[in-house]
Amino acid sequence: MRPFTYERVTDARAAVAAASRPGAKFISGGTNLLDLMKLEIERPAHLVDISRLPLGTIEELPDGGVRIGAQTANSDVAADARVRTAYPVLSEALVAGAPGQLRNMASVGGNLLQRTRCPYFYYTDSGCNKRDPGSGCDAIGGFNRTHAILGASDSCIATHPSDMAVAMTALEARIELLDADGSVRTVAIGDFYRLPGDTPHIETILRPGEMITGVVLPPPPPGGQLYRKIRDRASYEFALVSVAVVVSTDAGTGAGTGADRGTAADGDTVADARVAFGGVAHKPWRSLAAEDSLRERPATMATYRAAAEAAMRDAVGQGGNDFKIELARRTLCRTLDEAARASRAG
Ligand code: SF4
C-alpha cells in the first residue's frame, strides 16, 4: 500500500473543500476502497473520511417519498420499516447484496460508487483499460463468465456490481450531489452512470471533488415489487443476473389461455411496469423496451416472455457469458409473474 495522509471531516462543505486537494479521495466504510488500495489499484494521496458526516438519516418527504442520507449504513436502510413497507425491492436488494458485517460498514454513497469485480481489474499483471487506460481488455477473449451482455464496448465488458443501485433504478431514484464550489444538483440515477465506450475508467458523471450527499426516492409506485438475484453461491457473491421489477395490474380485463392458464394474475392486465437488470451491463440496466411490451397487455407468461425477448434483443455474449442471455430472460419472466401475484394480492 502506498503512503497517504488522512483527515476526518464533520461538515459536508469541509469535505468537498478537502477533496479538492490533488490525489484526494473520499472514504466511508472502506469495504471496497481499502482492498483496492492494498492492491495499489487505487492510489490516493489523501483520504477524506466522510463517515461521520450528519448524512446518516432516512427522512420522509412531504410528497410521500423518502430521502436517504449518503452515510446511512446499508443495514439501516434494509431494516428501515418505511423502506421495507413502501420500497421492499430496495430492502431485498440490500439484503441480497452483502452479508451483515459488510452491510453494517457500507454506506449508501459508497455502495453506489463501488468498482467492478471483473477479476482482471484486480489482477494487476493483466491488461485492463479501466485500471490502466490504453492497456487493453484481457476479459475479451478471456474468462468472461461474469461479464456484460448489454452496452459493452471494445474497451471494456465489465459489469456494475451493486444490487442496491439496480433497485434504485427501478424506483427512479435521484442522487443528490454537492460540488466543490458548494453548489448542489440532483441527477436521475439513470443518468448518473456511464457506459464504458472508450473511457471505461470514467464510470459516473461525478465532477472532481463532487460528493454524494443523499438519494431521493419518489413516492412508491403502485403494484408489487420484487428483487431476484441469480449467483453462483447463496451468499457473499455478486450477481450473474439480477432483476428488480415493479408491476401493477388491473383486474379481469386480460385473458390467459392454454399454457398461460394458471399464472397467478391470469385474467389481469399489466397496468404499469418497471424493469431493471443487474449483472448484465456497465451500469444498472433499465429496460424500457421490456416495460413498453408489458403495458396494457394480459398479465400472462406469454406477455412476460415477449418482454424478456424485448429486453434481450440487443444482448451479445462474449463466449463465457452467453448463458446469461437466456438466464436473464427466464429470471425476468419468473420475477414478473411473482410481482404480478403480489400486485394482485394488494
Ligand atoms: Fe478491465 Fe473492463 Fe476489461 Fe475487465 S472488462 S479487464 S474491467 S477493461
Side-chain angles (χ1 to χ4, degrees), residues 1-2 4 33-40 42 44 47:
M1 187 184 281
R2 306 265 177 116
F4 59 90
L33 180 59
L34 288 177
D35 287 343
L36 293 165
M37 288 173 64
K38 289 174 191 170
L39 292 166
E40 299 191 359
E42 295 271 14
L47 283 184

Side-chain angles (χ1 to χ4, degrees), residues 27-112:
I27 186 167
S28 182
T31 57
N32 187 206
L33 180 59
L34 288 177
D35 287 343
L36 293 165
M37 288 173 64
K38 289 174 191 170
L39 292 166
E40 299 191 359
I41 296 166
E42 295 271 14
R43 286 165 282 194
H46 183 62
L47 283 184
V48 181
D49 184 344
I50 55 176
S51 63
R52 310 290 172 94
L53 293 180
L55 297 172
T57 58
I58 302 173
E59 308 158 45
E60 293 173 52
L61 300 174
D63 68 356
V66 299
R67 179 186 180 279
I68 303 169
Q71 293 309 312
T72 314
N74 285 193
S75 50
D76 290 341
V77 181
D80 185 88
R82 294 159 296 187
V83 172
R84 289 175 56 143
T85 302
Y87 307 99
V89 68
L90 177 56
S91 183
E92 291 163 8
L94 283 161
V95 170
Q101 298 95 325
L102 285 172
R103 288 202 302 274
N104 289 339
M105 287 300 295
S107 67
V108 166
N111 189 323
L112 289 168

Side-chain angles (χ1 to χ4, degrees), residues 116 118 120-121 127-130 137-139 147 155-158:
T116 185
C118 169
Y120 299 100
F121 180 67
C128 173
N129 289 320
K130 184 181 286 293
C137 172
D138 281 358
H147 289 72
S155 296
C156 179
I157 58 172

